[in-house]
Amino acid sequence: MTLAQWTEVDDYFNGLLVGPDEALDAAVEVSNKAGLPAIQAAANQGKLLNLLARLQGARAVLEIGTLGGYSTIWLARALPEGGRVVTLEFDPECAEVARGNIERAGLADVVEIRVGRALETLPELAEEGYGPFDVVFIDADKPSNPDYLAWSLKLTRPGSLIVADNVVRDGEVVDADSTDPKVQGMRRFTELVAAEPMLSATALQIVGAKGYDGLLMALVTA
Ligand code: SAH
Ligand code: DHB
Ligand code: MG
């Protein structure tokens, strides 16, 4: 199977089930023009995040890794009146692009962007009394995933859902000897999820227009 085939199938399903969307399409275009890397979630993955948040009945969502706000918009649209997404971004330029994209989507009042290293902004959130979040989407620097898991557990409740992007990385995740800190971060993260009695989890490989990667989903149990 080739990337061209995966892309054609993504296009087929997205054409029927996801569809064009003015604000989301503009977010991608503006992000590309601003020179941001095109590593935002695929449309069908964004829709999956949206469906998961709706299944959760989420009112409070935490996102680690905003980029241009593409996944943020999908998540924010899942929330009822009064719902809130807090999204954490290290790069002020990304945060600025995201701010524009989120505003264009009419979601400026729903989304709070915190600029800074997530390992600095997460303790601030905890100190300020944020949480429990109903959904956490972990999608930032992969070597920090083990720490993001610990913070996610602090900032959620039984019944919350933790989702992590990029757990497969072209299949490299199975290479125990990998010298790539991203791969080692994902392996350690997955082992910690497995060892945590409060979590019930699964991981799925995903192919599509964005290549070969995957998602891990963990339900916080009582
Ligand atoms: N969730 C986005 C994609 C995020 S890409 C989407 O699907 O649309 C990863 C983002 O994490 C990048 O914007 C990067 O700047 C940010 N990032 C990297 N290290 C970070 C850190 N230590 N703290 C917060 N954000 C970080
Ligand atoms: C990278 C990061 C992502 O969040 C992603 O979805 C794809 C690639 C990266 O750092 O290369
Ligand atoms: Mg990602």
Side-chain angles (χ1 to χ4, degrees):
M1 294 296 287
T2 65
L3 183 67
Q5 285 172 298
W6 298 341
T7 303
E8 194 180 342
V9 174
D10 260 5
D11 290 347
Y12 169 73
F13 284 121
N14 288 344
L16 286 168
L17 304 175
V18 183
D21 182 290
E22 221 171 281
L24 287 165
D25 296 346
V28 172
E29 200 186 319
V30 170
S31 299
N32 288 342
K33 281 198 176 132
L36 271 49
I39 55 173
Q40 74 279 353
N44 45 6
Q45 195 185 324
K47 180 76 177 274
L48 175 65
L49 292 171
N50 176 276
L51 292 174
L52 289 172
R54 284 155 65 189
L55 281 165
Q56 279 296 94
R59 301 187 59 86
V61 173
L62 173 63
E63 177 178 68
I64 309 175
T66 316
L67 192 68
Y70 182 81
S71 53
T72 320
I73 292 170
W74 274 114
L75 287 163
R77 283 181 174 174
L79 307 187
E81 187 76 33
R84 202 121 174 96
V85 179
V86 179
T87 184
L88 311 181
E89 174 54 51
F90 162 67
D91 183 338
E93 280 180 41
C94 291
E96 227 13 72
V97 172
R99 214 177 297 284
N101 288 336
I102 288 160
E103 188 168 338
R104 205 171 303 105
L107 294 164
D109 294 339
V110 180
V111 178
E112 176 183 347
I113 307 174
R114 290 242 171 166
V115 183
R117 287 183 195 283
L119 286 178
E120 286 167 24
T121 50
L122 285 162
E124 284 169 22
L125 290 180
E127 199 144 300
E128 291 170 33
Y130 277 75
F133 291 96
D134 308 304
V135 174
V136 179
F137 180 45
I138 302 174
D139 190 21
D141 50 319
K142 314 309 172 190
S144 298
N145 266 36
D147 295 315
Y148 295 153
L149 178 67
W151 280 105
S152 298
L153 288 169
K154 282 188 192 127
L155 290 166
T156 52
R157 54 162 176 87
S160 297
L161 181 70
I162 300 168
V163 180
D165 192 24
N166 309 115
V167 298
V168 174
R169 305 212 134 260
D170 287 315
E172 282 177 57
V173 70
V174 297
D175 181 4
D177 301 324
S178 173
T179 53
D180 182 343
K182 293 180 181 181
V183 172
Q184 288 303 342
M186 266 327 158
R187 289 179 61 87
R188 184 79 194 118
F189 169 76
T190 306
E191 288 158 13
L192 290 168
V193 169
E196 174 52 64
M198 290 249 302
L199 292 175
S200 180
T202 191
L204 292 176
Q205 307 181 61
I206 296 173
V207 295
K210 298 239 160 200
Y212 174 33
D213 215 320
L215 279 182
L216 184 146
M217 286 157 276
L219 182 69
V220 182
T221 57

